[in-house]
Amino acid sequence: MNSRAWKWALVSAPVVLSVSACMGWGGYSPAKNVHDSQLIGTWHTRGCGATLTLQPNGSASATGIPTEMDLNGKVTKRVSADGTWEISESGAEQHLDVTLRDEETPFELYRDKGHLVVGLTVGDPDDANSCILTRHSKSTESFVVRRVSQTYVAMGT
């Protein structure tokens, strides 16, 4: 490698790492200042086949939440149960903690084009298997699902 290439690598590496750190998980920006009222409702993704309903009193109901996936992104284990939820903070980041069957499942909070989305990493984070849940409208609505790498995204249409 010549000296010019080394200089480029030394200058560009910190920039690339800084940009990727700001984007957050799956390319989404971390959500900030999320309040309980923004999470209340039913969250859904068809890609992972999961539904999560969050009530104002802190209770939660989950159907088909994936807990394990194979390397091809196929769900191999799910949980359906009632439980509780709360927003937790870790430094500057907020998380949605859902407890089902005495086991806490951490969800990440992100923004996608200004809309709040809830992310779930399934299994080993190194496998990059994840699901994105979007809030379901009160009206019946169709969803368009696209797969991005190992990430499923559901967006209301």
Side-chain angles (χ1 to χ4, degrees):
M1 190 181 262
N2 65 30
S3 66
R4 187 178 207 174
W6 274 108
K7 287 178 187 174
W8 183 86
L10 289 173
V11 169
S12 63
V15 171
V16 170
L17 292 174
S18 296
V19 169
S20 63
C22 292
M23 286 306 292
W25 173 94
Y28 297 105
S29 301
K32 296 181 181 183
N33 302 315
V34 177
H35 302 283
D36 289 358
S37 61
Q38 294 172 284
L39 292 170
I40 294 167
T42 300
W43 296 78
H44 178 78
T45 178
R46 283 193 184 167
C48 293
T51 301
L52 177 65
T53 301
L54 306 176
Q55 299 293 336
N57 66 0
S59 65
S61 178
T63 305
I65 300 293
T67 57
E68 293 179 18
M69 284 186 177
D70 64 19
L71 293 175
N72 296 317
K74 182 181 177 193
V75 176
T76 58
K77 188 175 178 185
R78 297 178 181 277
V79 65
S80 296
D82 292 328
T84 61
W85 70 276
E86 67 181 358
I87 296 174
S88 66
E89 295 185 14
S90 175
E93 292 187 17
Q94 290 180 296
H95 307 276
L96 168 62
D97 292 328
V98 178
T99 303
L100 304 169
R101 296 187 183 156
D102 296 325
E103 189 169 324
E104 187 176 295
T105 303
F107 291 82
E108 305 298 323
L109 301 173
Y110 294 99
R111 297 260 179 221
D112 180 29
K113 299 176 186 161
H115 298 284
L116 186 63
V117 295
V118 175
L120 172 65
T121 300
V122 183
D124 185 344
D126 292 336
D127 293 339
N129 289 323
S130 52
C131 298
I132 294 290
L133 291 89
T134 57
R135 188 157 40 178
H136 217 339
S137 162
K138 291 182 181 178
S139 64
T140 305
E141 179 171 39
S142 64
F143 283 83
V144 176
V145 178
R146 69 177 192 267
R147 184 174 177 180
V148 181
S149 179
Q150 294 284 340
T151 304
Y152 290 93
V153 180
M155 299 185 319
T157 56

